[in-house]
Amino acid sequence: QLELQKLDGRERRMLIRDRSLILSACGGSNDDKSELETLNLTSKALSTCLSTSAEMFGYESISDVETLSCSDVSEEEFDQAALDEMNLFKNLSNLQLGYMKSPIHIDGSNFPALKTFRCDNCSLESIDLSQNNELNSFEIWGNRYLTELDLSNSPKLAKLNLSEVKIMNLNLGIQLLLKEAYIVGDALY
């Protein structure tokens, strides 16, 4: 028996798919569920988001999850509880959130691999990115709650977009790699 732990995520997915094809060809069934399919999330919104991302990217386990795009969760409200439950995904490097009604707070230390962050029409009240030194793209569109933003500990930041954000205090520190910076509308006071 092969030890799945020694295989990387891509190799595991290929092995599971090949096994499924063989079982199907032999008339068998594959009742084994992936780690993500057995994950018992309390947030229906996060469950929907994860399911969509797993299908799109072929994620099988928690450690496979690198990208979550949770801006199209239509029926369920994505809230702080969903965001807190997202802490399971330590390899998350790309996070897109959108259209949240209730205020949220993000602790970036829960996502140590975070490289890109985008939040569209979110009720983001605070975000701590002091531990996210791999962050290279940060975008917020339409946010009336966030008044302070500190990106000084993100030395790899290459893109910054603040559109319709009411920032009163912006700390960029020294950004030698910043190539794109957009501040649109009533973004800064």
Side-chain angles (χ1 to χ4, degrees):
Q1 179 161 354
L2 290 171
E3 291 184 47
L4 289 177
Q5 297 89 339
K6 292 184 180 179
L7 301 175
D8 68 25
R10 187 179 144 280
E11 292 169 324
R12 266 184 275 157
R13 288 189 296 275
M14 289 175 57
L15 180 64
I16 290 169
R17 285 186 195 129
D18 290 348
R19 181 175 168 232
S20 296
L21 288 173
I22 291 168
L23 287 171
S24 296
C26 296
S29 66
N30 183 7
D31 292 330
D32 295 338
K33 290 187 175 184
S34 74
E35 180 184 20
L36 292 182
E37 291 172 323
T38 61
L39 194 59
N40 188 18
L41 297 172
T42 58
S43 167
K44 185 168 176 154
L46 180 56
S47 183
T48 300
C49 174
L50 180 60
S51 177
T52 302
S53 295
E55 186 176 313
M56 185 181 303
F57 298 106
Y59 299 145
E60 296 285 333
S61 69
I62 290 172
S63 63
D64 290 343
V65 180
E66 294 178 350
T67 297
L68 284 176
S69 180
C70 301
S71 57
D72 295 329
V73 179
S74 58
E75 296 175 17
E76 304 83 21
E77 186 176 339
F78 199 93
D79 58 9
Q80 187 66 48
L83 191 63
D84 291 343
E85 209 167 14
M86 211 182 269
N87 297 346
L88 294 167
F89 309 111
K90 297 299 182 191
N91 291 332
L92 190 64
S93 60
N94 304 298
L95 178 58
Q96 182 172 342
L97 305 171
Y99 307 99
M100 296 178 201
K101 295 178 185 172
S102 60
I104 60 168
H105 306 271
I106 296 177
D107 180 357
S109 68
N110 293 317
F111 312 110
L114 192 64
K115 292 181 180 177
T116 63
F117 176 81
R118 181 173 175 151
C119 193
D120 297 338
N121 296 308
C122 296
S123 298
L124 182 62
E125 286 189 331
S126 67
I127 185 165
D128 179 356
L129 298 167
S130 60
Q131 304 296 311
N132 299 94
N133 57 6
E134 294 298 315
L135 189 69
N136 61 36
S137 178
F138 184 87
E139 298 182 72
I140 297 181
W141 295 75
N143 183 304
R144 62 181 183 209
Y145 298 103
L146 189 65
T147 59
E148 294 184 17
L149 180 61
D150 186 348
L151 295 165
S152 62
N153 289 329
S154 301
K156 296 181 180 181
L157 190 67
K159 181 178 183 180
L160 172 65
N161 190 339
L162 301 173
S163 296
E164 303 301 324
V165 180
K166 300 192 185 275
I167 300 288
M168 295 173 81
N169 184 8
L170 175 63
N171 183 357
L172 291 174
I174 298 173
Q175 297 293 340
L176 299 176
L177 301 177
L178 188 62
K179 296 196 181 342
E180 295 178 58
Y182 305 97
I183 301 175
V184 180
D186 58 348
L188 289 176
Y189 285 91

